[in-house]
Amino acid sequence: MTFFDYRSVENALAGCRWGHTLFTYESIGSTMDRARELAHKRAPEGTLVIAAEQTEGRGRLNRAWISPSGSLSLSLLLYPSPEKMPYLTMLTGLAVAEAIESVPKLKADLKWPNDVLIGGKKVAGILVESGVVKDRSFAVVGIGINVNVDLACFPDIASIATSLSGESGGPVDALLLLRSLIDEAESLYTAFDPTPLRALWRKRLITLGRQVKATSGDTVIEGTAIDVAGDGALIIRQNDGTECTVVAGDVTLRQ
Ligand code: BTN
């Protein structure tokens, strides 16, 4: 089993601005809950909670997120300015895709709003939650990556999910991947500029130009995904020609 022990993670992140306040777990309920607790204790920006396994990992829309041994589960505590807050999913998606391309050197795509895919199968997911403590807004950025996971052991998701080890044909160094991910995310966050950020994200979105079915609450919208708005909302041209903007929801890509 992979275990992100404190010293190894600390060494892997030497020189990074984030991760100085570090919590590592062999197994935890959800890193999101631990990071939120730490926000309430006024933990500093860049506090990192990392686990080798989660027993109650959660994804968007309150779905369960399977995080077995071999996966990488982490939550970062940030105190973004109000301008940065809406861009955290975008920024994190880009950082994950770049890290996957630089460490196991696999081509990664993004699917709106927060999925990281390899060859059309999900390899990583991002969950951003926010809150306020004593008038100060915080965000918890959760990232789950199937690093060294054998999907054959998870037949329920094997047709829609993949792992880095499965795609590269051998084990992937999770600590090198983590380092690359934190480097990318830190630099996008520090040099924050929404225009190039959106442009980079847009370029990686495989959703654009595709026939999609978007579900947002009880509303279902079908049509062609034509663009993303400045804030990342998805613009869909419905088959009757009208355009619709989807701010949050789920998207299925049609063949
Ligand atoms: C999704 O695709 O729906 C988002 C998945 C996010 C999973 C990560 S794993 C680390 C952090 N802890 C959690 O419980 N969830 C996020």
Side-chain angles (χ1 to χ4, degrees):
M1 124 160 220
T2 323
F3 172 47
F4 297 105
D5 71 279
Y6 187 93
R7 290 275 165 253
S8 312
V9 178
E10 190 184 42
N11 286 339
L13 297 182
C16 292
R17 293 175 54 207
W18 292 347
H20 286 279
T21 304
L22 174 67
F23 296 83
T24 61
Y25 296 90
E26 191 161 348
S27 180
I28 194 172
S30 165
T31 57
M32 299 304 281
D33 296 334
R34 183 68 184 113
R36 185 173 282 272
E37 272 170 31
L38 291 161
H40 285 270
K41 292 183 177 160
R42 305 290 200 112
E45 168 124 311
T47 293
L48 177 63
V49 180
I50 182 163
E53 181 187 79
Q54 295 184 116
T55 52
E56 286 165 54
R58 64 172 176 275
R60 285 173 68 244
L61 311 169
N62 267 330
R63 293 184 184 131
W65 176 260
I66 300 173
S67 333
S69 159
S71 57
L72 171 60
S73 302
L74 65 95
S75 292
L76 262 170
L77 173 62
L78 300 173
Y79 297 94
S81 61
E83 303 78 62
K84 282 184 186 176
M85 191 68 100
Y87 290 91
L88 291 180
T89 301
M90 222 185 256
L91 182 156
T92 310
L94 266 176
V96 173
E98 300 278 340
I100 289 174
E101 290 192 350
S102 77
V103 176
K105 301 204 187 311
L106 295 165
K107 184 178 176 315
D109 298 310
L110 298 177
K111 174 174 162 274
W112 190 92
N114 74 330
D115 292 346
V116 185
L117 310 183
I118 294 181
K121 290 184 170 187
K122 183 155 170 167
V123 72
I126 292 149
L127 177 67
V128 178
E129 296 179 345
S130 57
V132 178
V133 179
K134 296 214 166 98
D135 288 342
R136 192 181 186 199
S137 298
F138 69 86
V140 175
V141 176
I143 303 170
I145 309 180
N146 301 329
V147 183
N148 295 307
V149 177
D150 181 2
L151 266 301
C153 302
F154 301 91
D156 290 355
I157 56 167
S159 63
I160 52 163
T162 190
S163 68
L164 298 180
S165 56
E167 295 293 330
S168 59
V172 168
D173 187 331
L175 289 173
L176 262 188
L177 179 75
L178 172 70
R179 171 62 193 241
S180 173
L181 167 58
I182 297 293
D183 277 343
E184 295 288 349
E186 254 186 28
S187 76
L188 289 168
Y189 184 82
T190 310
F192 175 70
D193 189 344
T195 306
L197 181 65
R198 174 180 166 276
L200 284 173
W201 185 65
R202 196 179 173 283
K203 233 164 90 181
R204 279 195 185 269
L205 274 183
I206 52 160
T207 315
L208 298 184
R210 298 280 297 270
Q211 277 291 116
V212 296
K213 178 175 168 185
T215 312
S216 183
D218 290 338
T219 313
V220 177
I221 296 153
E222 294 193 61
T224 310
I226 54 170
D227 208 349
V228 279
D231 62 357
L234 186 66
I235 304 170
I236 298 176
R237 181 177 301 129
Q238 297 177 97
N239 299 334
D240 65 2
T242 54
E243 286 181 14
C244 222
T245 301
V246 182
V247 176
D250 240 0
V251 160
T252 316
L253 302 177
R254 304 293 206 187
Q255 287 311 313

